[in-house]
Amino acid sequence: MDPTLRARLQRIVGPTHVIHDPETRASYETDWTRRFSGTAAFVVRPADTSQVARVLQCCREAGVPLVPQGGNTGLVGGSVPRSGEGVLSLRRLDTIEDFDPVAGEVTVGAGVTLERLQQHVRPAGWDVGVDLASRASATIGGMVATNAGGVRVIRYGPMRHQLIGLEAVLADGAILSRLPGLLKDNTGYDLPGLLAGSEGTLAVITRVRLRLIPNRPARAVALIGLPSVAAALEIVRAVRAAAPTLEAAEVFFPEGLALVLRHTGLRAPFARPYPCYLLLECAGATDPAPALAALLEPLVDPAAALLATDRPDRDRLWAYRERHTEAISAEGIPHKLDVTLPIGRLAQFEREVRSHLAALAPSARPILFGHAGDGNLHVNLLGLPPDDETADDAVLRLVASLGGSISAEHGIGIAKKPWLHLTRSPADLHAMQAIKRALDPAGILNPGVIFDLDHTAPAPDHLP
Ligand code: 2HG
Ligand code: ZN
């Protein structure tokens, strides 16, 4: 690392927060997939917004790009270095401030974890609209930067929908402040909305103002064994139409369940296996179990249905679904394809993806699971060399041909770049690249993520 830059950064954040020894750097250099990793020039850990701004200014002057990083739970290679960038860790920005229990709003530092925020607001009767399995490590700033989805999107939407305002540092060190945020504020471009999902390529998010949802501790979880995805979607349709309390509708399949059982030592949920499993969760002010049971009664075989209301029982049913990621990871390093389909085509996709893979990439071992309620399936492929993209290509082309998206909630990162053109038009790509060039002309914020831009070339002045 350049000694002048190191001395300047140390003066800003303190000597112990500029990390350069390889052992301490290691956990910042590899993401949750273990498929994506690179060597960082350094890791810098500012404590507040003004330090972030000064770090950015310094690095821009030194011509050293930065990879902003929260909990490093990303799955598309967007939060780890690729070729000697510095890692800008936001985890020290971990203050929860200005929790307004009357409005149901809170402002938090980018480095606050989802779990910590949940624990902070729940006793006062509020909750965070987005929930996901990596809650103990995922940070609110990272969740906004990647527009995280999770298990409750059907009821509350993704992270962008929870956002009332934010504070962020632009590439030139200027601070963009839309805090505390107003529910009505119709004054031009929605910059927080633009930064949500920009994957650290446009600005570094430092503080976030979120709208909260009422905490609904009365919950019921049903796990149902079914003959097919089509049968699962028929139940989702019936429950969704009749139960406004429906919050999650998740699916998984026998091959994923077998891995979870082997990895966790859990007992199989039913006496026999089923081709498809559907997990539903309803939440309300009063016990939603009787209404859910009454809705399911004419639709499901009682031997293939479990209903849980107490927390430990609910957690046991959720474990079959939530522990897929770690069970797959224990088997090997998967290729992860996080796709959405129009819901009417989800059943067709699930059938066809298996037959396409069997024909085109017979060594791929597909494990599917995901959020059936919003058409989002996680296609995990085991048994493939890290750089062989034949199977990825087949799956993503099938998704595009069925009118879906190549990324539902994990983002593009570096993993999906080659396929972005399948579901974003030339006009879309041109507009996104124009925004990137305008906000980060020198290309110092997460370069190479979402798309590659040659920052030395003049911007094209007309559409291709
Ligand atoms: C989930 O839904 C996450 O559990 C992770 O989005 C998905 O591991 C995956 O592919
Ligand atoms: Zn997911």
Side-chain angles (χ1 to χ4, degrees):
M1 173 183 187
D2 167 46
T4 315
L5 177 60
R6 179 159 149 194
R8 288 186 74 190
L9 292 177
Q10 283 181 337
R11 268 198 301 280
I12 299 168
V13 300
T16 53
H17 294 296
V18 182
I19 299 165
H20 45 92
D21 80 279
E23 224 165 278
T24 324
R25 270 189 351 237
S27 69
Y28 298 87
E29 292 180 326
T30 301
D31 71 5
W32 266 31
T33 60
R34 290 179 290 127
R35 187 176 168 208
F36 301 105
S37 71
T39 304
F42 54 85
V43 177
V44 58
R45 295 169 32 99
D48 58 30
T49 306
S50 86
Q51 289 188 6
V52 172
R54 285 159 64 206
V55 165
L56 269 175
Q57 257 160 1
C58 248
C59 289
R60 188 173 52 103
E61 282 160 22
V64 177
L66 289 167
V67 176
Q69 189 186 90
N72 200 14
T73 59
L75 300 170
V76 287
S79 60
V80 287
R82 276 85 49 193
S83 50
E85 300 90 347
V87 168
L88 173 59
S89 169
L90 281 310
R91 272 184 250 177
R92 287 180 70 215
L93 280 72
D94 63 353
T95 321
I96 301 181
E97 43 186 295
D98 200 11
F99 170 33
D100 181 341
V102 178
E105 295 176 10
V106 67
T107 301
V108 298
V112 171
T113 64
L114 172 59
E115 188 170 75
R116 218 182 113 220
L117 183 58
Q118 289 171 334
Q119 285 164 356
H120 188 87
V121 298
R122 280 179 183 164
W126 294 98
D127 201 355
V128 186
V130 168
D131 193 18
L132 32 77
S134 56
R135 59 186 73 80
S137 308
T139 61
I140 297 296
M143 289 170 65
V144 172
T146 56
N147 189 28
V151 296
R152 294 175 172 175
V153 170
I154 50 171
R155 190 161 184 187
Y156 304 113
M159 209 59 192
R160 185 181 285 123
H161 294 192
Q162 325 303 318
L163 198 55
I164 304 176
L166 56 67
E167 175 190 80
V169 182
L170 297 172
D172 61 1
I175 297 171
L176 193 90
S177 188
R178 306 291 299 155
L179 287 171
L182 300 165
L183 276 184
K184 287 189 153 181
D185 183 7
N186 216 354
T187 52
Y189 299 152
D190 176 14
L191 297 175
L194 173 65
L195 296 189
S198 64
E199 303 187 36
T201 62
L202 299 180
V204 178
I205 295 170
T206 48
R207 290 200 290 168
V208 172
R209 180 110 178 133
L210 295 178
R211 83 160 42 86
L212 299 168
I213 56 158
N215 187 19
R216 298 188 164 103
R219 291 177 174 269
V221 175
L223 182 67
I224 306 156
L226 291 158
S228 64
V229 172
L233 291 176
E234 188 44 37
I235 292 179
V236 173
R237 190 199 59 74
V239 176
R240 204 170 189 176
T245 53
L246 184 66
E247 190 155 295
E250 305 278 308
V251 278
F252 52 92
F253 300 89
E255 61 277 7
L257 178 61
L259 281 188
V260 170
L261 298 184
R262 196 160 75 227
H263 173 71
T264 60
L266 289 169
R267 285 188 23 219
F270 303 114
R272 74 167 186 83
Y274 291 86
C276 178
Y277 298 88
L278 174 67
L279 181 146
L280 300 173
E281 179 160 46
C282 291
T286 55
D287 182 7
L292 179 60
L295 276 170
L296 293 178
E297 204 259 337
L299 303 173
V300 304
D301 167 7
L306 295 167
L307 188 67
T309 49
D310 292 348
R311 179 75 198 254
D313 295 338
R314 287 191 270 122
D315 287 351
R316 250 192 299 281
L317 296 187
W318 264 111
Y320 294 122
R321 158 64 184 88
E322 277 203 331
R323 298 193 69 181
H324 267 66
T325 299
E326 65 184 83
I328 293 166
S329 180
E331 284 292 294
I333 298 182
H335 288 217
K336 285 182 176 288
L337 303 166
D338 151 50
V339 301
T340 0
L341 280 301
I343 204 118
R345 293 194 163 156
L346 197 63
Q348 178 188 354
F349 171 77
E350 188 266 335
R351 278 192 314 272
E352 289 185 5
V353 77
R354 294 181 194 279
S355 56
H356 272 53
L357 284 167
L360 289 167
S363 62
R365 190 173 144 210
I367 315 288
L368 274 56
F369 61 100
H371 317 284
D374 43 57
N376 175 190
L377 278 184
H378 297 306
V379 178
N380 277 241
L381 303 174
L382 283 165
L384 293 172
D387 297 333
D388 181 351
E389 291 181 334
T390 323
D392 306 45
D393 192 65
V395 173
L396 297 177
R397 283 183 189 281
L398 176 64
V399 167
S401 75
L402 294 174
S405 168
I406 63 158
S407 175
E409 57 177 5
H410 296 168
I412 299 299
I414 57 164
K416 308 289 168 50
K417 272 194 302 188
W419 297 280
L420 185 57
H421 69 279
L422 289 178
T423 56
R424 298 299 299 253
S425 69
D428 278 7
L429 291 170
H430 184 267
M432 290 199 284
Q433 291 171 1
I435 292 168
K436 169 71 177 171
R437 282 182 209 278
L439 290 186
D440 183 19
I444 67 151
L445 287 176
N446 228 1
V449 160
I450 305 182
F451 32 61
D452 290 308
L453 271 192
D454 179 358
H455 286 270
T456 56
D461 56 6
H462 55 78
L463 292 181

